Amino acid sequence: MKKTVRKILAVALMVCMMIPLFSVGSFAKTTTKYQGKSLVVLGDSIAAGFGLAPGSTDMVSQILQMPHGEFTANSWPLAIRDKYGFSKETSVNLSRTMWGCTEFLRLLDPAFEAELCKPENTFEQYMSDYLMFFTEVTAPGDALQLAGQIKDVIRQADVLVFSLCANDIMTPTILKPLMLPFYQVFGRQAGYALASVTQGKLQLPSTPEGLAKFALGTLEFDDLATDARRRTQQFFKSYDRLLGIIYKLNPDVEVYTMGMTNPFKGLKTINDQDSTLLDPLTIETIAKIRTYVTKQSRYAGRVKYVDCSDVGGHGFGNAYSVQFFLDFVVHVHPDAEGHKLIAKHVSAAFNK
């Protein structure tokens, strides 16, 4: 009887001693899944960590602290890199504030750049130069430096998280009513300061049609919803084109495609009423992106989709406030808690 009791106690003690080992082993397996491998994040301002600068909530302070490829503190790329044991030496964040597929295609695909420079696309080129302008102002030469390294970085990636869509669809849709009148008043000349900064060269029109477009630009105004839907379809083409380049450079890379966040949840506009346009339009766009990435894209069976539709922004004040527009630019981005939620979604995709 005593021997039996001793055996039972010995087994129980052994089990108790092994429980911590199982726990540590399980945790280690999760957090070292990509130990020493290279993570590359190809994204926009959210992935860059814009809006997370400590102690600053206004636009001016955020611009002065704009990220340029760092793994920003409290951002989801940093959390994912460290949680899964990616190499700190070889992992790279290619994300840039206000950039979308268009801007990265301009660096990677000379044929795309040539298409964008056609006379009928002068306003779109102007918009792209505008989106690239801010990172150039805060870090002169950034685009040229990025162009020189981006292909090698993608070739060496083990895992690439694709986090682009909002700046191809919602950002230019919202900015167009503001930028088009300025463009029409000053003509294409208004874009040359931007082009000289972002491209380092000027491209003058050489045909009568080109001169007309140079002077006037596009003259039509699309309504917000129509423009967003048109840009969504264009994003799908750019998405496949960009993924094609990525897979050509690195056929074995593991790609995760991020869905769009919805920063307009709870947006207050006039008299503290909820927005009746941006929120539903964003929800519609999110659903279309999810369907395309998972079912319709030529790469649908090759990438893994990360749904971020439940991630909002900082929150907004009333549109009557003089600070509303400046705050809006910062607050459409997730705060630190929002980045934690994104990291949770990425983790779930990694663990499938």
Side-chain angles (χ1 to χ4, degrees), residues 154-172:
I154 292 174
R155 287 190 187 102
Q156 296 169 14
D158 295 296
V159 174
L160 186 144
V161 181
F162 186 102
S163 182
L164 298 167
C165 56
N167 286 342
D168 285 274
I169 304 171
M170 297 305 295
T171 299

Side-chain angles (χ1 to χ4, degrees), residues 166-319:
N167 286 342
D168 285 274
I169 304 171
M170 297 305 295
T171 299
T173 296
I174 294 171
L175 285 177
K176 183 176 180 179
L178 301 174
M179 298 305 300
L180 190 54
F182 177 79
Y183 180 78
Q184 289 171 329
V185 169
F186 294 99
R188 183 65 182 100
Q189 301 94 317
Y192 268 74
L194 298 177
S196 63
V197 171
T198 60
Q199 300 173 56
K201 57 183 178 181
L202 300 179
Q203 294 183 340
L204 295 172
S206 57
T207 64
E209 180 188 17
L211 289 172
K213 292 289 184 180
F214 170 84
L216 299 175
T218 52
L219 297 177
E220 78 284 352
F221 268 104
D222 295 325
D223 66 83
L224 200 67
T226 300
D227 199 34
R229 288 162 187 152
R230 178 180 64 82
R231 291 183 183 279
T232 300
Q233 296 304 312
Q234 183 59 48
F235 164 72
F236 296 155
K237 295 178 182 179
S238 298
Y239 170 78
D240 280 349
R241 188 167 184 166
L242 191 48
L243 275 187
I245 294 171
I246 290 169
Y247 281 126
K248 186 175 181 179
L249 290 170
N250 189 344
D252 300 321
V253 67
E254 190 176 335
V255 177
Y256 293 82
T257 296
M258 307 281 288
M260 197 162 68
T261 64
N262 184 4
F264 303 114
K265 287 183 176 180
L267 170 62
K268 303 294 185 181
T269 53
I270 298 174
N271 297 327
D272 287 330
Q273 298 299 308
D274 289 341
S275 167
T276 58
L277 179 61
L278 290 176
D279 185 22
L281 184 58
T282 304
I283 292 173
E284 174 190 321
T285 305
I286 288 170
K288 287 181 178 178
I289 292 172
R290 182 191 302 114
T291 299
Y292 188 82
V293 169
T294 59
K295 297 179 180 179
Q296 298 172 346
S297 167
R298 71 183 69 171
Y299 303 106
R302 200 168 176 180
V303 306
K304 295 182 180 179
Y305 178 73
V306 182
D307 193 332
C308 295
S309 58
D310 60 342
V311 179
H314 282 54
F316 300 93
N318 193 292

Side-chain angles (χ1 to χ4, degrees), residues 309-336:
S309 58
D310 60 342
V311 179
H314 282 54
F316 300 93
N318 193 292
Y320 283 129
S321 169
V322 294
Q323 281 290 112
F324 178 80
F325 181 74
L326 294 180
D327 290 341
F328 179 88
V329 176
V330 175
H331 290 172
V332 291
H333 298 84
D335 57 12

